[in-house]
Amino acid sequence: MISPVLPTYARAPLSFVKGQGPWLETADGTRYLDMGAGIGVCALGHAHPTLVAALETQGRRLWHTSNLYDVPNQQALAEKLVESTFADTVFMTNSGTEAIECAVKMVRKYFSANGQPDKVEIITFEGAFHGRSSAGIAASGGAKMVDGFGPLLPGFVHVPFADIDAVKAAITDKTAAIMLEPIQGEGGIRSVSTQIMRALREICDEHGLLLVLDEIQCGMGRTGKLFAHEWAGITPDIMTIAKGIGGGFPLGACVATERAASGMVAGSHGSTYGGNPLACAVGCAMMTEILSDGFLENVSRLSGHLRQGLEGVVAAHPDVFDSVRGEGLMLAIKCKLPNMDIVNAGYDAKVLVIPAADNVVRLLPPLNIGSKDIDDALWRIEEAAIALERQIEAVSV
Ligand SMILES: *Cc1c(COP(=O)(O)O)cnc(C)c1O
């Protein structure tokens, strides 16, 4: 008999009733160190007092009015995003996939409004994850995501990951944009190099294409800059944001330059909930925290600490782990054993890590995790590795 919740998730036999910082607690009081942070969402950990206060204050005042009226918190958050990024304008959503929807529609509208309605194709990378809507799965293209859901939204061309020659070869009169994650998340923490980011910007300029960056997972401070593309010294035309911006409250955004957004006018797009007062109160508080003095520098410092520790753990357990990769606090360990073995051994050691493609486990801890908790996580990951080594020995004896 089907479960009351549609069985689309392969869930761990675990659930949590409360959280504090990087710690989660089950009903029986067992504590787990959360190095996944709700897939990079809880960027300030659980129950951060500033975010809780922002939500409580707004919760007592006003929940929802719709976008028929100005929403002051939405205006404030849009202004903060415009001030601190390349963008001139922002559309608020409730999720990442909705931000992708807006980006795809904006690309198409830009060319149609500028007298080039045949330019509809968006080039994306293999291994990409752009969400689960019809446009999102068509953009992503992974077999598991699209199987059985055809006919897919047309207009997406997939090329091998970060392959500049393949991108160039894929460009035709119909090409409108290139869309990518500066660091693939679900794809296994695969970084696009600075050099390739710059080359993609140049290709877009040369061919009059829009560059769309999906920073839903790698943005909002995760790499030690507010957005990952800043490391390459380039800017996109359109960018999607979600996950970390709401710290756990559903919130996303599609941000763009004035030029890229020029086709979007009253009636072009909308959302009942997008940019609602509660979400934007939290989003504003999150932006203030991440942009506060020293916050991003601290992310880089913590990243160095975690990365160095992980390199040590990997070196000490060569039968379990292969290598460390990623940027900032978006790190992964490439595994030699099946990555789910490490995730499961992590549950036993009371540390949460997240599987991703290419047989890695991801670490996306809260950006304000303490150094002591990083050491604790390293120790628990080591404990998981030791338990797995014992199993290997027991089998080989
Ligand atoms: C999570 C994610 C999405 C989808 O976001 P949802 O909020 O799950 O719809 C899209 N792109 C990237 C890079 C993501 O990590």
Side-chain angles (χ1 to χ4, degrees):
M1 202 169 64
I2 196 164
S3 59
V5 174
L6 191 73
T8 57
Y9 300 104
R11 295 180 200 267
L14 264 179
S15 78
F16 302 99
V17 294
K18 63 179 173 183
Q20 190 67 58
W23 293 92
L24 282 170
E25 208 174 305
T26 60
D28 70 4
T30 309
R31 275 159 43 98
Y32 288 72
L33 188 43
D34 185 6
M35 297 300 279
I39 319 186
V41 165
C42 306
L44 297 181
H46 301 283
H48 189 279
T50 310
L51 300 188
V52 172
L55 186 61
E56 279 182 354
T57 304
Q58 187 60 45
R60 273 188 221 98
R61 209 173 271 160
L62 185 65
W63 286 18
H64 178 82
T65 58
S66 86
N67 286 304
L68 294 169
Y69 315 104
D70 275 343
V71 179
N73 289 353
Q74 187 183 127
Q75 299 280 338
L77 179 55
E79 280 166 22
K80 279 182 198 286
L81 284 166
V82 165
E83 262 167 41
S84 45
T85 68
F86 71 94
D88 303 312
T89 189
V90 181
F91 182 85
M92 303 285 179
T93 69
N94 313 289
S95 68
T97 200
E98 288 169 82
I100 293 287
E101 285 290 330
C102 180
V104 169
K105 288 176 71 175
M106 190 182 280
V107 166
R108 291 188 172 185
K109 195 74 165 178
Y110 169 79
F111 287 100
S112 95
N114 285 288
Q116 296 173 289
D118 294 335
K119 284 192 172 287
V120 295
E121 280 182 3
I122 301 179
I123 297 171
T124 63
F125 286 166
E126 285 169 7
F129 183 83
H130 298 300
R132 298 287 195 157
S133 65
S134 296
I137 61 172
S140 307
K144 238 196 295 181
M145 294 174 77
V146 304
D147 192 32
F149 296 118
L152 296 179
L153 183 70
F156 295 95
V157 176
H158 308 289
V159 300
F161 175 74
D163 183 336
I164 287 291
D165 292 334
V167 169
K168 286 182 184 159
I171 294 172
T172 68
D173 290 346
K174 287 188 168 170
T175 308
I178 301 170
M179 179 163 79
L180 65 141
E181 304 154 78
I183 305 171
Q184 286 192 347
E186 306 306 307
I189 312 295
R190 296 199 291 173
S191 307
V192 178
S193 70
T194 290
Q195 193 191 351
I196 288 176
M197 291 289 286
R198 289 181 185 154
L200 290 169
R201 178 70 268 177
E202 275 171 27
I203 289 170
C204 285
D205 292 342
E206 196 182 315
H207 294 271
L209 313 179
L210 297 174
L211 180 63
V212 183
L213 294 180
D214 181 348
E215 294 232 15
I216 289 169
Q217 194 161 147
C218 62
M220 291 306 291
R222 186 129 303 267
T223 65
K225 299 260 189 211
L226 186 56
F227 290 100
H229 66 263
E230 293 171 32
W231 291 106
I234 57 135
T235 58
D237 302 291
I238 299 173
M239 175 171 72
T240 56
I241 310 171
K243 293 202 165 87
I245 194 173
F249 200 93
L251 175 61
C254 174
V255 309
T257 62
E258 183 166 13
R259 183 177 71 95
S262 59
M264 303 298 271
V265 295
S268 297
H269 197 42
S271 167
T272 299
Y273 289 126
N276 127 317
L278 295 167
C280 292
V282 176
C284 283
M286 178 62 83
M287 287 289 290
T288 303
E289 287 294 317
I290 291 186
L291 292 171
S292 66
D293 266 357
F295 185 94
L296 291 170
E297 291 79 356
N298 193 46
V299 171
S300 291
R301 192 182 61 77
L302 294 168
S303 165
H305 180 168
L306 178 57
R307 189 175 188 121
Q308 199 179 9
L310 288 173
E311 300 280 5
V313 172
V314 166
H317 303 280
D319 294 336
V320 180
F321 298 128
D322 179 80
S323 51
V324 183
R325 65 194 198 205
E327 313 293 330
L329 289 176
M330 186 171 184
L331 297 173
I333 315 177
K334 170 103 175 154
C335 305
K336 287 195 181 146
L337 299 179
N339 58 356
M340 280 312 295
D341 289 0
I342 286 115
V343 172
N344 288 323
Y347 296 149
D348 294 338
K350 309 289 182 278
V351 62
L352 305 181
V353 296
I354 306 181
D358 198 31
N359 205 38
V360 305
V361 294
R362 264 180 292 178
L363 294 106
L364 307 163
L367 303 179
N368 59 351
I369 188 172
S371 294
K372 268 198 191 142
D373 287 329
I374 287 180
D375 288 336
D376 196 337
L378 290 166
W379 181 81
R380 286 164 196 256
I381 292 167
E382 178 123 47
E383 191 181 302
I386 291 167
L388 288 167
E389 283 167 348
R390 286 209 190 101
Q391 281 175 26
I392 299 171
E393 271 170 41
V395 170
S396 62
V397 163

